[in-house]
Amino acid sequence: MDWNPRTIIEEVRRIVGGSGADDEKLQRVCDLLAERVPHYDWVGFYLVNPEKERELVLGPYTGAATEHTRIPFGRGVCGRAAAQRRTVVVGDVTREDNYLACSAATKAEIVTPVFHSGAMVGQIDIDSHTTDPFTPRDRELLDALRPLVAPLLHP
Ligand code: SME
């Protein structure tokens, strides 16, 4: 199945501009990404916890339940992306020491931080059951999605 970042970006734009609570919109975005992109097997948002310094809290997601509902900055792929304020791509999680396993089926992960008015407010986390699945197309998609979802990422 082929997928087109531009079509997905347009659909996300419609979701964000449509009706519903912000967390419902985020849930729809997760569902859409997981449905449209064949190598996205878990899609979720982590929010920067405003009540505890340097901690991420799990927000809406699509895929298997995870025990990692709170992640300190620096821990795992998500915590590293938050601490370094940059996108982290892990093509093969079995070669990674600083990794928090969510599901045994996960082979690769991409995490990208989201900024709103200059502050980091959360991140988009995507797990894949395929090794080395991410290409510049994924970057293109995530780079376009970050500013669209930024206003929705709050507790
Ligand atoms: N694998 C992540 C933890 C979150 S789960 O993938 C949902 C990490 O290493 O930070």
Side-chain angles (χ1 to χ4, degrees):
M1 185 174 52
D2 204 16
W3 61 285
N4 182 341
R6 275 183 235 162
T7 316
I8 297 173
I9 292 160
E10 272 322 301
E11 287 183 61
V12 169
R13 216 185 283 282
R14 274 201 290 277
I15 291 171
V16 172
S19 61
D22 288 351
D23 59 341
E24 289 166 4
K25 293 179 184 181
L26 291 175
Q27 184 65 59
R28 276 182 235 146
V29 171
C30 292
D31 295 346
L32 176 77
L33 293 176
E35 186 193 300
R36 287 305 168 79
V37 187
H39 57 284
Y40 290 4
D41 295 295
W42 190 97
V43 179
F45 291 97
Y46 279 92
L47 313 176
V48 172
N49 188 352
E51 278 153 24
K52 189 163 177 207
E53 222 178 313
R54 295 174 66 78
E55 185 183 76
L56 296 162
V57 182
L58 182 63
Y61 67 93
T62 302
T66 174
E67 65 189 277
H68 303 296
T69 54
R70 286 167 187 270
I71 301 176
F73 280 25
R75 283 210 65 206
V77 186
C78 294
R80 239 183 311 152
Q84 299 173 3
R85 299 166 71 89
R86 65 172 183 93
T87 301
V88 176
V89 184
V90 176
D92 181 353
V93 298
T94 63
R95 293 167 167 272
E96 195 60 54
D97 291 334
N98 191 0
Y99 166 70
L100 303 170
C102 167
S103 146
T106 298
K107 300 284 196 321
E109 179 160 3
I110 184 168
V111 182
T112 191
V114 177
F115 298 88
H116 190 47
S117 305
M120 186 169 59
V121 288
Q123 53 185 219
I124 307 171
D125 177 16
I126 294 167
D127 288 2
S128 180
H129 295 174
T130 307
T131 304
D132 270 330
F134 304 114
T135 70
R137 218 164 10 146
D138 300 276
R139 290 270 193 166
E140 184 193 334
L141 175 62
L142 295 179
D143 285 348
L145 292 185
R146 290 188 304 177
L148 291 178
V149 299
L152 309 177
L153 284 181
H154 54 77

